[in-house]
Amino acid sequence: MLAATLGAALAFGAPAALAGTAPVSPSGQVIPAAPAKTAGKAAAAPTSQSATWVAGTRAYLVITAPGDSSAVRAAVAANGGTVFSNFDSIGVIVAHSASAGFAATMRGVSGVQQVGATRTSDVPADAYNPALPANPAQSTTPAGEPVRADMSQIKADQAWAVTTGSPSVKVGILDTGVDDQHQDLAPNFNAADSVSCAYGKPDTRAGAWRDVDSHGTHVAGTIAAAKNGKGVVGVAPGVKISAVRVAEPGNSFFFAENTICGFVWAGDHGFKVTNNSYYTDPWQFNCPDNIDQAAIIEGVKRAQEYAEGKGSLQVAAAGNENYDLAHKTTDSASPNDSTPVTRTITNACLDIPTELPGVVTVAANGTGTTKASFSNFGSGVIDVAAPGSDVYSTIPGGKYGTKSGTSMATPHVVGVAALLASANPGITPAQLRDKLATQANDIACPSDSRCTGTAANNSFFGEGQVDALKAVGSTPPPGKYFENLADFAINDNATVESPITVSGVSGNAPATLKVGVDIKHTYIGDLKVDLVAPDGTVYTLSNRAGGGTDNIIQTFTVNASSEVANGLWKLRVNDNASADTGKIDAWNLTF
């Protein structure tokens, strides 16, 4: 089933902007779900240094030249509005007004380049006196963190033997917030650089960054859950994560001003990479021929460019509508904060932030190298792919759960980018984008006429599925690395061997011969695993250890210095009991 175990808030039964929490059917259509409960207490009576809330208050982006915006801000106040926040570095002012003529009047003001409403609903009173999200009580998790399928799929488990990432690399999670008290996230959580950007203004109060749903906490675990013997391990468990809550409570909407605030924050606080598993509400696609949506495009684009200019790479989810982003025709989901209508659109209309220049767009794989049925696609749009189906990760309160979506694929890519940044200090966003492309493993098109392009780059998978092992620079030199990817069944009370022929290596094997083993089996205590050298010498790797644990996914070091390197090597697996079976999924030798 592709539906998320924990559904996200959907307002008015419309598709959520969360790119991975809305339940999806096999056809990729979003299934309406009930709204989530608002986290925390109801908002108190609104108070603000800039405005007093009244019914009918709307939010606008007022765009001017970067620099001193004091004259334009004065014009906002003189024309029935208030300045809620401003970002002079990019020339974007977030204004509030209850006047129906505010936008039209401001468009005639000297120095104003664009004005656009960011929503078709009122700004909540909570914007002026935000309630802090709940700080949930924490559950205790038993010891043990078995390697998950999504991690072995992108070879993260093998990458950890090389590096778990550097704590000097900061990752920003722009989402519904993060439960910083979660036992698997607390060791890597960076509170000093965490914030709420809900409503479009930084709220630096302690805990303002906490989760108002469960989506952001789930994303955080996939990126950097600690390697601490509990629960799960993230792709880059050695890096630091910060929460930038851009979702508003009660509905998990991500309006443009929130995203703008988040990107500027990311640039100013040194985030090397950010995770963006959402689209900017209320428009699934923002069209430049609409005066409001044109301002949204410009404002978010400027903020993204600002963050990138400060050294931050943005990675974003492609979306879950099984939609061809390279051949847009209709949008029936917008505006999702009031009453959606069906409209005709073209490729000029953008899903933002994922289709903005410089942003890495991520599609979702199903099991192995398949396309997840719900994943959006598009020639020239998708950059890379990663596992996004039934991903198990952290959820608030010290708990764990499964979700599916391109939202779940994106943090795998962000984790790989964090490992790349760890291995390459000083790397630029452009270089990171290039390395994400070059380290990805090619996936050919399936038998599906919608998939166009080559194995090297196509509309379903872009450059291919990310590879954490390659990202950490441990790709073995040519002629020194040998692998057998064929499956060999492990039957009850039987012995099976998987062969590798080694050639072109002079002399003997090293004293530190690396034997990478990927065995899928539901009771590894049944198994004796041996490496058999070309002359028949047996080196035992595992002898019925591990009890009822699933799978042996591990790299062993063997002193094989007495063995001639070239010849036929074998991985021998002997099953010594009944009831549980499995397979040798893959294994390799590194000389």
Side-chain angles (χ1 to χ4, degrees), residues 35 89 115 203 216 262 297 381 393 409 458:
S89 56
V115 179
D203 180 350
I297 294 171
V381 179
S393 187
N458 59 59

Side-chain angles (χ1 to χ4, degrees), residues 231-403:
V232 298
V233 187
V235 177
V239 305
K240 294 298 181 183
I241 50 174
S242 295
V244 180
R245 179 165 68 85
V246 290
E248 298 181 6
N251 52 33
S252 291
F253 281 138
F254 298 71
F255 292 105
E257 60 266 37
N258 310 2
T259 302
I260 289 167
C261 171
F263 283 164
V264 171
W265 183 273
D268 287 341
H269 289 79
F271 296 166
K272 199 65 188 176
V273 59
T274 68
N275 191 102
N276 301 272
S277 292
Y278 60 91
Y279 70 78
T280 302
D281 296 291
W283 307 99
Q284 185 171 4
F285 300 102
N286 286 269
C287 299
D289 60 355
N290 178 286
I291 198 166
D292 293 318
Q293 294 163 40
I296 291 173
I297 294 171
E298 179 64 19
V300 179
K301 178 174 176 286
R302 287 189 186 190
Q304 194 292 121
E305 290 171 345
Y306 178 83
E308 183 168 340
K310 292 281 191 174
S312 177
L313 176 70
Q314 278 55 252
V315 181
N320 298 336
E321 292 75 37
N322 194 25
Y323 193 94
D324 186 350
L325 296 174
H327 296 91
K328 301 185 183 89
T329 56
T330 58
D331 173 15
S332 299
S334 309
N336 64 1
D337 68 334
S338 54
T339 304
V341 296
T342 298
R343 58 178 178 152
T344 299
I345 62 172
T346 69
N347 284 350
C349 301
L350 301 178
D351 182 339
I352 61 174
T354 198
E355 287 193 277
L356 290 177
V359 176
V360 175
T361 303
V362 181
N365 290 125
T367 303
T369 55
T370 61
K371 173 189 176 295
S373 62
F374 51 79
S375 181
N376 286 353
F377 57 98
S379 179
V381 179
I382 303 302
D383 291 305
V384 290
S389 294
D390 297 322
V391 175
Y392 186 74
S393 187
T394 48
I395 58 173
K399 300 174 184 177
Y400 301 85
T402 300
K403 292 180 185 286

Side-chain angles (χ1 to χ4, degrees), residues 314-543:
Q314 278 55 252
V315 181
N320 298 336
E321 292 75 37
N322 194 25
Y323 193 94
D324 186 350
L325 296 174
H327 296 91
K328 301 185 183 89
T329 56
T330 58
D331 173 15
S332 299
S334 309
N336 64 1
D337 68 334
S338 54
T339 304
V341 296
T342 298
R343 58 178 178 152
T344 299
I345 62 172
T346 69
N347 284 350
C349 301
L350 301 178
D351 182 339
I352 61 174
T354 198
E355 287 193 277
L356 290 177
V359 176
V360 175
T361 303
V362 181
N365 290 125
T367 303
T369 55
T370 61
K371 173 189 176 295
S373 62
F374 51 79
S375 181
N376 286 353
F377 57 98
S379 179
V381 179
I382 303 302
D383 291 305
V384 290
S389 294
D390 297 322
V391 175
Y392 186 74
S393 187
T394 48
I395 58 173
K399 300 174 184 177
Y400 301 85
T402 300
K403 292 180 185 286
S404 293
T406 55
S407 276
M408 284 60 254
T410 303
H412 289 89
V413 176
V414 168
V416 170
L419 291 177
L420 282 166
S422 300
N424 300 274
I427 193 170
T428 68
Q431 291 168 333
L432 262 181
R433 278 195 301 272
D434 181 64
K435 282 188 174 292
L436 279 172
T438 57
Q439 58 75 48
N441 294 314
D442 293 347
I443 305 176
C445 278
S447 182
D448 188 324
S449 61
R450 300 173 302 164
C451 187
T452 59
T454 65
N457 194 322
N458 59 59
S459 59
F460 274 15
F461 312 110
E463 297 281 352
Q465 184 170 262
V466 292
D467 187 316
L469 185 61
K470 289 182 182 178
V472 297
S474 64
T475 303
K480 300 279 188 175
Y481 178 81
F482 304 86
E483 185 174 41
N484 190 337
L485 298 175
D487 291 348
F488 288 81
I490 302 170
N491 297 317
D492 285 333
N493 297 298
T495 299
V496 62
E497 294 181 339
S498 174
I500 288 178
T501 299
V502 173
S503 61
V505 180
S506 59
N508 284 8
T512 56
L513 178 65
K514 302 295 183 185
V515 186
V517 174
D518 185 348
I519 294 172
K520 302 297 194 300
H521 195 281
T522 51
Y523 199 102
I524 63 173
D526 290 355
L527 305 179
K528 184 173 184 287
V529 182
D530 299 314
L531 175 69
V532 182
D535 68 356
T537 302
V538 175
Y539 297 86
T540 298
L541 306 179
S542 179
N543 190 3

Side-chain angles (χ1 to χ4, degrees), residues 508-517 529-534 537-542 554-563 569-571 587-591:
N508 284 8
T512 56
L513 178 65
K514 302 295 183 185
V515 186
V517 174
V529 182
D530 299 314
L531 175 69
V532 182
T537 302
V538 175
Y539 297 86
T540 298
L541 306 179
S542 179
Q554 187 176 342
T555 299
F556 299 90
T557 301
V558 173
N559 183 353
S561 57
S562 62
E563 307 293 338
W569 296 75
K570 299 175 185 176
L571 186 71
W587 73 289
N588 58 70
L589 293 170
T590 305
F591 288 82

